[in-house]
Amino acid sequence: MIDWKNIETKWQQRWAEAGIFEIDPDPDKPKYYLTVAYPYPNSPQHIGHGRTYTLTDVHARFMRMKGYNVLFPMAWHYTGTPLFAMVERLKERDPSIVDTFCNLYNIPEKKLSELETPISMAAYFSKEIKNGMQKIGYSIDWRREFTTIDPYYSKFIEWQFTKLRQRGYITQGSHPVGWCPHCGNPVGQHDTVGDKEPEIEEFTLIKFRKDDLVFPAATLRPETVYGVTNMWLNPDTLYIEAKVDDEEWLISEEAVTKLEFLGRKVSIISEIKGSRFIGQKLLNPATGKEIIILPASFVDPRNATGIVMSVPAHAPFDYVALEQLKREVKTHPELFKIKPSDVNKLEPISIIELQGYGESPAVDIVKKMKIIDQNSPDLEKATKEVYGSEFHGGRMRANTGVYNGLSVQSAKDAVKQDLIIKNNASTMYELIEPVKCRCGTDVLVKIFENQWFINYGDPEWKKLAKENIEQMEIIPRELKQEFVNVVDWLKAKACARKAGMGTPLPWAKEWIIESLSDSTLYMGYYTIINGLNEIKPQPEQLTEAFWDYIFLGKGSATEVEKQTNIPNSKIDELHNEFEYFYPPEARHSGRDLIPNHLTFMIFIHDAIYPREKWPQGIVVNGSVLMEGQKMSKSLNNIIPLSNAIDRFGSDPLRLSLMITAEPLKDADFSPDLAKSMGDTLEKFYNRAQRVIKEKQEDSVEFTEVDLWMLSRLQYHIDIANEAMVEMKVRKTVHSAIYDIEQDFDWYLKRTEFDKGYAHRKKAINKVEWEVLSAQVRMLTPFAPHLCEEIWEEMGYDPFVCFAPWPTVNKDLVRSDAEELETIVKTCMEDVNNIIKVTGIKPNIIHYYTADQWKWKMYLKAIQLQEKGQLDIGILIRESFKDDELKTKTKEVPIMARNLVEEIKKIPEKTLFIRKSLGQVNEVKLLQDAESFLRAEFGCDVTVSSESDPWIDDPSKRASRAKPYRPAIYVA
Ligand SMILES: [Zn+2]
C-alpha cells in the first residue's frame, strides 16, 4: 500500500524548501499568468470547492511543463456580507450553523466563541483553507497572499474607483436593487442563499376597478389585457385594502411592504379574506367590459400584488385553472359561491395570431402536453414556450383596436404606456423568482435613492466588452455567446452600501464598496504585492500617481518618488513586474460567476487598461455532484476537503475530481471513485518500480513490435496534448493512463516470450522505460506527489513538475510498424472468431500468406483507387499488362472482384501507408510472432506461403490468402 501521507508531506516540504512556486519575472522565459477567484473564508471548503481550484492547479502545472514561467497566486476575500451573515448566525447559535461547524467540520465547540467577529472568523477559516490548499498540493506562490481589507488593497481599490469615475462609468441615482430588510443592505448573488442572483423585472400593474377600489393585476404581458376573461384571487389569502398614494387598492399583505420599499405611501384600511371577493365583477380598463373574480390556488400572495388577471388563450396556467374550475363547480357547486353558468360561459379570447398554432396558442399546447392540473410541473415549460413564441412571432388581432397588426414585441410597450397615461396602470419592480438573503430573510426590491452605480448599461462600454470577449480565449469555446448575452442585458449595478467591511468610496466615504465590485481588477495587484510588502510604505504614500505609474505607465518613477518618497528604483521594479506578468492568460471560475463576476472583470479591465492589458482567457467549469446528487446539508453528503485529503490521499482525490467530466459538465464524485483512483495510481507505481529495477543501460536493437509500441505512445501523447490545450482533462487522463495501458498490455503479451533472450529483454525494458517516462510526466499535473516520487526513483533530477511535458517524437511515429502489427492482431482475432463459432479446441493452426502475384494486383489496385479509377474491368486490364499476371487468366479476374470491393472500404490514410510499405514479408512477420500465437492459443502454429512446396493444407484453404489477410486453417 502506498503511504500517501508520507509521499505528500515529503514532496510538499521539498517544493517549499526549494521555493519553486515562488515566481519572479524571468526575461528568458515566456510567462503564463493564471488566477482563480479568491475564496470567502466564511466556512471551510468541501469537495465541491475542490474542483475549480484543482483544475487551476492542473492548468498551472501543465503550462510550467510546457516551459512557461507560471504565476499562480491566492488571496482572501474578506469584504462583503458573507462573513457578516455567518458571524450573525453563529452569534445567535443558529443550530444549523453550529451543527455544520462542530459536527461536519470538526471545529471544537469551545473555539466557536473566538469566531464571533468577521475578522477572527475570516482569519480562522483562511488559515484552514490555506492548509487544505497546501495539503492537496496546489502550486501557489504564497508570498503574494493578501486579504481584501489590507490597507494597501484599499488604496488600490480607491484608485480603481477613481479611474472608473474619471472615465464616466460611475453614476448616481435612484434604481431598484435587491434588498434585505433585516440586514439593511443591497443584496447581490454573493449574499443570497444558494448564490441566486436577485433578478429584477418591471411588472405592469393594470388597474381593474370595482367602483373606486383598484385591483392592481400584476403582469409582464400588459398587451394581453384584451384577452382577459376573469380575475384570479387566492380565496385563502388575507388581502389588504389600503390607501396607496391617493387611490384605494386591494393587495396581498406581502405587497404592502414591497410597495413601501418601492417608495409608495401605503396606509392600511382593512383586512379582507380573498374568498369574500369571489363572484364579484370588475371593470377591464382596456375593453370597458365586466369580468368576474374567480378563486385560484396557484395565485401566490408573495408574488407582486397577489392579484392576477386571467388570459386563458395565451397563458397556459389560466387555461388549465379555468377548465379545472369548470369541472369542480359542476361536481361540487356547494363549495363555490358562484353560479356554474357564470364559469361555464367563459371561453378563451384569442388576441394574438401566431403561426404554427391554432386559434389559442395556450389551449393548443396544454392539449398537446395533456396537462389537466394547475399544479402540474409541465405548466412552467408550456408557459415558457407560449410566451417566447408569441413574443418573437406573434401579431395582435383585430379585437385589440388600435394595436391591430402590431407585433407583440412592440404592442407590449405601446399598451403599457397608453394604460399608464390614462391612469389605468402603474408599475412595480419585483424579483422574477423569490430569493432569500443569507440571513434567512426574503429579499425585496428597494428603490435606492442616491445610490452609486457602476453603469454596465453604457452602450459604448458594452462595445468594448464585446471586443474583449471576441479576442479572448474562452474555454469551453461554446460559452462565448453566453458572455455576449450577459453583456447585452447587464444594467447599472449598485456598487456600494452603508455597512460591511471594505473600502469606502473615495469621494463619498460613508459608502463601502461591495464585494462584487472590489474583486474585478485585483489580478494586477498580485503582481506587485510581494514587492510592496518589502518596501513597506505607509498606505498614504500609495497615491493616485503611484498606481497610475505602476499600472498605466503614466508619468515617471522620479515624479512619483517626489510625491511619495518611495525610491524610484523600487517603483520601477513594481512597474516592471506588472508589465512582465500582465495581462493574465487565464481566469478560472465556476460557471455560476458568468452573469456577474467574470463579466464584470471584463468590463472593468476594458474601462481602465489599454487593450494590451485586457484579460486574455477564461476557463469555466461545472460543479461537483456526490454520487449523482447535488451536495447539500440535508442530504448529508458533504465531505470537507481536508477530511477527503486525509481519507483518500491528495493525488487520488485530485485525479477523481478531474477524471469524471470535461470542464463544463458536472463532475460526479464518490468515495468509491476516489478509492479506485488510489488503486489505479498504486498499480501504476508498482509497474514503475518494476521497470526501474529492471533497467539496463546498454544500447539495444528494436524489433517491429517495439517500434509499434513506441509509435503508439507517440499517438497517445499527441491526443493527450491536444486535449490538454483545451483543458479536456478527462480525455487527457484517459489517454495517459487507460489508453496507453491498453496498448501496453498488448505489447507485453506480444513480447512475453522474447524476455527469455537477453537482447530482447533489454529492448523491452527500454520500451517500458520510455512509456513510463512519458506517462509520469503526463500525470504530473494531476498526481504531482506520486509522480515526483517515481521521477526521483527513476534517477532523474527533481522536480518532475518542471520536466518537459512529453511531445511527439516524429522519428518514432512509425505508421508502417503500426500497420504491420494490425496483421498480427487480425490473425489472432480471426482465429478467435473461428474458435468461437465452431467451438473447436485447436490442436494446430496453419497460416498461409498470399503469393507475390496477389501483392502485385493489390498494389496496382491501390494506385488505381488513389487516382479514382478503381473498377474491376480496369484492374483486370492493367493486371494483364504484367507478364506474370498475364498467364493467370482464370485467377486474375476472381482476385480483381475480391480486391475492388475490399479496397474501396479502406481509409485513404491506410492505403497510403500500405502503398509505401509495398509487398510485406508476411511469412517473416508471422514467424516472428509464432511464439506469441502459440502461447495465446495453447497449440502448435505454422506459417507458410500459399505456394510453398512443403505446405500442409489439408482442406485446401491456402489459395484464399490475400495480402493483409492470410488464410487460416484450424484443427
Ligand atoms: Zn439579510
Side-chain angles (χ1 to χ4, degrees):
M1 280 289 280
I2 295 184
D3 182 349
W4 290 108
K5 189 98 240 140
N6 192 17
I7 291 181
E8 284 161 14
T9 322
K10 168 180 166 185
W11 288 102
Q12 283 160 15
Q13 268 168 11
R14 299 266 298 265
W15 293 333
E17 279 159 17
I20 53 170
F21 303 127
E22 296 177 358
I23 304 300
D24 293 314
D26 177 350
D28 299 330
K29 255 184 167 181
K31 64 93 183 179
Y32 197 89
Y33 181 27
L34 82 180
T35 62
V36 58
Y38 42 30
Y40 275 116
N42 70 341
S43 63
Q45 294 198 311
H46 55 71
I47 281 196
H49 297 105
R51 189 180 183 199
T52 309
Y53 293 101
T54 301
L55 187 64
T56 315
D57 187 58
V58 165
H59 193 184
R61 288 174 173 277
F62 171 65
M63 294 311 289
R64 232 169 252 134
M65 295 177 78
K66 294 287 254 185
Y68 288 88
N69 192 29
V70 177
L71 176 59
F72 175 20
M74 187 61 62
W76 311 102
H77 205 177
Y78 278 29
T79 38
T81 57
L83 270 162
F84 265 73
M86 197 60 92
V87 166
E88 280 308 309
R89 292 175 69 184
L90 180 65
K91 281 206 285 207
E92 291 162 8
R93 288 297 183 270
D94 177 332
S96 142
I97 291 299
V98 173
D99 178 52
T100 303
F101 281 4
C102 297
N103 298 329
L104 180 58
Y105 291 116
N106 289 318
I107 300 169
E109 200 155 353
K110 59 177 196 291
K111 188 95 204 155
L112 293 183
S113 57
E114 292 169 34
L115 308 181
E116 287 180 3
T117 68
I119 293 191
S120 64
M121 180 181 276
Y124 182 82
F125 287 135
S126 52
K127 209 170 128 201
E128 213 272 352
I129 298 171
K130 179 176 177 179
N131 186 28
M133 288 179 167
Q134 287 171 327
K135 269 184 8 186
I136 201 172
Y138 294 158
S139 55
I140 291 169
D141 182 351
W142 287 108
R143 295 173 309 162
R144 297 170 190 269
E145 188 183 359
F146 62 86
T147 86
T148 58
I149 56 163
D150 296 350
Y152 293 165
Y153 190 77
S154 268
K155 283 294 178 191
F156 164 72
I157 294 297
E158 270 183 29
W159 173 78
Q160 176 188 329
F161 273 76
T162 306
K163 293 296 116 180
L164 286 176
R165 195 161 186 231
Q166 286 167 358
R167 286 163 172 52
Y169 294 123
I170 302 284
T171 56
Q172 193 183 21
S174 303
H175 284 264
V177 296
W179 178 265
C180 173
H182 175 255
C183 301
N185 258 333
V187 177
Q189 188 207 19
H190 281 175
D191 313 315
T192 62
V193 174
D195 286 321
K196 267 171 79 179
E197 176 79 28
E199 281 185 78
I200 300 169
E201 267 286 359
E202 192 183 55
F203 282 72
T204 305
L205 306 184
I206 301 181
K207 298 179 179 176
F208 291 76
R209 291 187 172 89
K210 178 180 160 52
D211 304 323
D212 284 336
L213 183 59
V214 173
F215 289 69
T219 179
L220 288 169
R221 303 196 59 196
E223 76 283 6
T224 60
V225 69
Y226 289 92
V228 172
T229 56
N230 61 285
M231 194 62 67
W232 296 121
L233 256 61
N234 192 325
D236 304 319
T237 286
L238 203 59
Y239 284 86
I240 304 285
E241 196 182 333
K243 189 141 192 239
V244 177
D245 297 326
D246 42 17
E247 286 177 326
E248 277 178 28
W249 286 18
L250 189 80
I251 46 179
S252 68
E253 201 178 2
E254 287 84 347
V256 173
T257 330
K258 288 184 185 176
L259 290 171
E260 281 172 342
F261 271 98
L262 291 169
R264 290 179 187 266
K265 266 197 235 91
V266 184
S267 47
I268 297 173
I269 299 168
S270 63
E271 297 179 350
I272 310 165
K273 218 171 163 204
S275 54
R276 277 266 311 278
F277 295 97
I278 306 302
Q280 297 190 5
K281 302 278 168 62
L282 299 176
L283 211 61
N284 181 337
T287 61
K289 286 190 185 134
E290 273 202 329
I291 56 154
I292 186 168
I293 300 177
L294 295 177
S297 59
F298 75 82
V299 172
D300 186 348
R302 289 169 307 171
N303 195 342
T305 54
I307 294 184
V308 177
M309 63 190 205
S310 166
V311 191
H314 305 286
F317 269 101
D318 296 338
Y319 177 67
V320 171
L322 188 59
E323 290 304 301
Q324 200 175 344
L325 186 62
K326 284 179 184 174
R327 289 193 302 272
E328 289 170 1
V329 170
K330 203 184 280 171
T331 49
H332 302 284
E334 71 283 0
L335 294 178
F336 300 91
K337 291 189 297 184
I338 30 180
K339 280 187 277 176
S341 61
D342 278 349
V343 182
N344 282 328
K345 69 177 180 203
L346 298 179
E347 287 302 327
I349 304 169
S350 175
I351 55 140
I352 292 167
E353 196 179 333
L354 182 63
Q355 272 191 2
Y357 290 81
E359 176 80 6
S360 302
V363 178
D364 248 28
I365 193 158
V366 163
K367 284 185 174 157
K368 203 172 75 198
M369 293 176 75
K370 301 195 172 74
I371 307 172
I372 46 166
D373 188 278
Q374 58 182 297
N375 297 313
S376 159
D378 285 342
L379 271 172
E380 283 292 346
K381 224 169 91 193
T383 302
K384 259 202 178 132
E385 188 178 325
V386 172
Y387 283 19
S389 314
E390 290 190 346
F391 182 76
H392 291 110
R395 295 222 160 259
M396 304 300 284
R397 289 186 191 273
N399 55 359
T400 61
V402 294
Y403 310 104
N404 182 13
L406 273 189
S407 69
V408 168
Q409 214 164 341
S410 16
K412 188 191 239 4
D413 281 332
V415 173
K416 175 176 171 183
Q417 290 314 322
D418 294 347
L419 286 169
I420 290 175
I421 287 166
K422 292 183 184 148
N423 190 28
N424 284 328
S426 180
T427 59
M428 172 185 188
Y429 289 111
E430 173 66 307
L431 298 172
I432 296 181
E433 276 180 50
V435 175
K436 267 190 194 318
C437 175
R438 280 188 199 269
C439 74
T441 312
D442 282 325
V443 173
L444 301 176
V445 183
K446 182 178 159 90
I447 296 287
F448 218 50
E449 310 285 342
N450 299 323
Q451 166 69 292
W452 292 98
F453 290 86
I454 299 177
N455 187 15
Y456 295 118
D458 183 319
E460 288 303 311
W461 200 7
K462 282 179 193 281
K463 223 185 272 168
L464 287 184
K466 282 184 189 168
E467 280 167 37
N468 191 163
I469 290 167
E470 178 59 40
Q471 48 103 334
M472 195 183 252
E473 187 181 10
I474 292 177
I475 296 175
R477 248 173 273 156
E478 58 261 42
L479 287 180
K480 215 166 215 185
Q481 188 56 40
E482 206 167 312
F483 277 92
V484 173
N485 295 347
V486 173
V487 169
D488 274 332
W489 63 249
L490 265 187
K491 299 184 191 113
K493 185 192 160 349
C495 65
R497 52 183 55 176
K498 293 273 172 96
M501 289 194 289
T503 304
L505 273 180
W507 59 87
K509 303 269 185 194
E510 71 276 20
W511 292 91
I512 309 286
I513 295 163
E514 63 84 46
S515 60
L516 273 167
S517 302
D518 79 351
S519 55
T520 48
L521 193 72
Y522 71 90
M523 306 84 200
Y525 184 81
Y526 278 127
T527 66
I528 55 112
I529 181 56
N530 56 324
L532 200 55
N533 283 336
E534 281 166 23
I535 303 169
K536 293 195 182 62
Q538 291 302 308
E540 305 79 63
Q541 288 171 273
L542 307 182
T543 59
E544 185 180 349
F546 170 82
W547 299 111
D548 274 353
Y549 180 70
I550 301 283
F551 291 134
L552 301 174
K554 256 177 73 181
S556 73
T558 40
E559 283 165 39
V560 176
E561 174 175 355
K562 269 183 222 149
Q563 200 193 67
T564 62
N565 286 323
I566 303 171
N568 69 64
S569 61
K570 295 287 175 195
I571 294 171
D572 265 330
E573 268 173 36
L574 299 181
H575 174 63
N576 292 339
E577 186 140 3
F578 172 74
E579 285 292 325
Y580 176 82
F581 282 115
Y582 233 66
E585 275 74 21
R587 172 73 170 173
H588 278 255
S589 160
R591 191 178 186 170
D592 55 325
L593 297 190
I594 294 177
N596 44 65
H597 165 74
L598 287 172
T599 310
F600 297 163
M601 171 191 80
I602 295 170
F603 268 96
I604 301 295
H605 272 82
D606 303 351
I608 293 179
Y609 287 148
R611 275 163 203 266
E612 64 270 18
K613 294 282 185 280
W614 286 3
Q616 299 295 297
I618 286 176
V619 182
V620 174
N621 62 266
S623 48
V624 183
L625 301 176
M626 180 65 71
E627 297 180 313
Q629 285 185 300
K630 267 199 146 158
M631 276 186 234
S632 80
K633 251 202 93 195
S634 57
L635 290 172
N636 202 17
N637 63 0
I638 295 176
I639 305 179
L641 204 54
S642 60
N643 292 16
I645 299 168
D646 292 341
R647 192 164 146 204
F648 307 115
S650 111
D651 285 347
L653 179 63
R654 293 170 62 109
L655 205 55
S656 42
L657 285 168
M658 295 294 104
I659 201 171
T660 70
E662 298 304 3
L664 202 51
K665 297 257 167 62
D666 288 339
D668 194 3
F669 181 86
S670 71
D672 285 346
L673 173 70
K675 276 185 215 112
S676 100
M677 286 301 109
D679 293 345
T680 300
L681 287 174
E682 176 139 15
K683 200 174 131 206
F684 177 63
Y685 185 46
N686 292 339
R687 168 154 64 80
Q689 285 181 313
R690 177 181 62 72
V691 172
I692 292 163
K693 212 170 71 202
E694 290 171 0
K695 190 190 180 188
Q696 301 177 32
E697 295 296 343
D698 315 336
S699 63
V700 293
E701 209 170 296
F702 290 133
T703 63
E704 286 302 319
V705 69
D706 301 330
L707 294 172
W708 173 82
M709 184 62 230
L710 292 172
S711 182
R712 291 302 292 166
L713 178 62
Q714 307 313 309
Y715 170 79
H716 295 301
I717 290 173
D718 194 27
I719 298 281
N721 190 53
E722 242 173 62
M724 199 58 194
V725 167
E726 293 183 48
M727 288 279 96
K728 290 186 175 158
V729 284
R730 173 189 151 85
K731 195 170 176 190
T732 307
V733 176
H734 269 270
S735 300
I737 301 184
Y738 303 111
D739 296 347
I740 290 184
E741 236 141 63
Q742 212 179 353
D743 282 336
F744 194 68
D745 285 347
W746 170 258
Y747 173 72
L748 290 183
K749 242 198 227 174
R750 282 281 273 120
T751 51
E752 182 71 37
F753 277 81
D754 301 5
K755 284 186 190 159
Y757 308 94
H759 70 286
R760 284 300 294 138
K761 201 164 178 219
K762 280 182 210 164
I764 294 164
N765 185 263
K766 177 91 180 138
V767 171
E768 289 184 311
W769 186 272
E770 289 300 318
V771 172
L772 176 64
S773 154
Q775 274 187 304
V776 169
R777 284 175 292 147
M778 284 193 273
L779 287 175
T780 291
F782 302 94
H785 307 90
L786 185 68
C787 289
E788 291 285 10
E789 187 70 16
I790 296 174
W791 196 247
E792 187 184 51
E793 288 178 25
M794 288 175 89
Y796 292 121
D797 287 341
F799 295 92
V800 71
C801 54
F802 286 88
W805 175 268
T807 49
V808 174
N809 179 346
K810 290 215 173 69
D811 296 340
L812 291 178
V813 177
R814 287 282 309 275
S815 323
D816 51 348
E818 292 194 37
E819 194 54 35
L820 294 178
E821 191 61 19
T822 57
I823 298 179
V824 179
K825 270 195 172 175
T826 313
C827 281
M828 194 186 95
E829 282 160 14
D830 284 350
V831 170
N832 272 332
N833 285 336
I834 294 170
I835 292 172
K836 213 182 327 163
V837 172
T838 59
I840 296 175
K841 196 177 172 309
N843 291 313
I844 188 150
I845 299 166
H846 296 302
Y847 286 106
Y848 314 109
T849 67
D851 262 351
Q852 174 172 297
W853 70 268
K854 292 182 179 172
W855 279 94
K856 276 189 188 167
M857 280 188 74
Y858 193 87
L859 296 169
K860 257 188 217 307
I862 291 180
Q863 273 174 6
L864 288 170
Q865 171 69 0
E866 277 186 340
K867 284 189 252 167
Q869 295 170 349
L870 182 62
D871 78 29
I872 298 169
I874 296 175
L875 181 57
I876 295 172
R877 217 164 45 234
E878 286 295 312
S879 299
F880 282 153
K881 287 181 187 164
D882 180 282
D883 287 342
E884 186 192 359
L885 295 176
K886 206 161 30 182
T887 61
K888 302 195 175 288
T889 46
K890 227 171 81 197
E891 295 94 330
V892 165
I894 298 172
M895 196 64 202
R897 208 162 297 132
N898 252 318
L899 288 182
V900 168
E901 215 173 299
E902 182 186 315
I903 282 182
K904 288 203 161 169
K905 281 187 227 152
I906 298 174
E908 209 175 313
K909 209 175 128 197
T910 310
L911 287 181
F912 180 79
I913 297 166
R914 289 187 179 181
K915 188 177 89 177
S916 56
L917 274 169
Q919 180 176 346
V920 175
N921 187 345
E922 290 178 326
V923 174
K924 171 155 193 322
L925 184 76
L926 291 176
Q927 274 169 353
D928 284 348
E930 245 181 54
S931 50
F932 159 69
L933 293 166
R934 215 172 279 148
E936 194 61 25
F937 296 115
C939 69
D940 204 12
V941 172
T942 74
V943 180
S944 42
S945 172
E946 59 174 302
S947 55
D948 282 342
W950 52 83
I951 193 167
D952 184 2
D953 184 13
S955 67
K956 299 287 164 241
R957 306 247 164 183
S959 63
R960 297 186 190 182
K962 283 187 289 180
Y964 287 95
R965 206 75 196 228
I968 297 167
Y969 174 70
V970 182

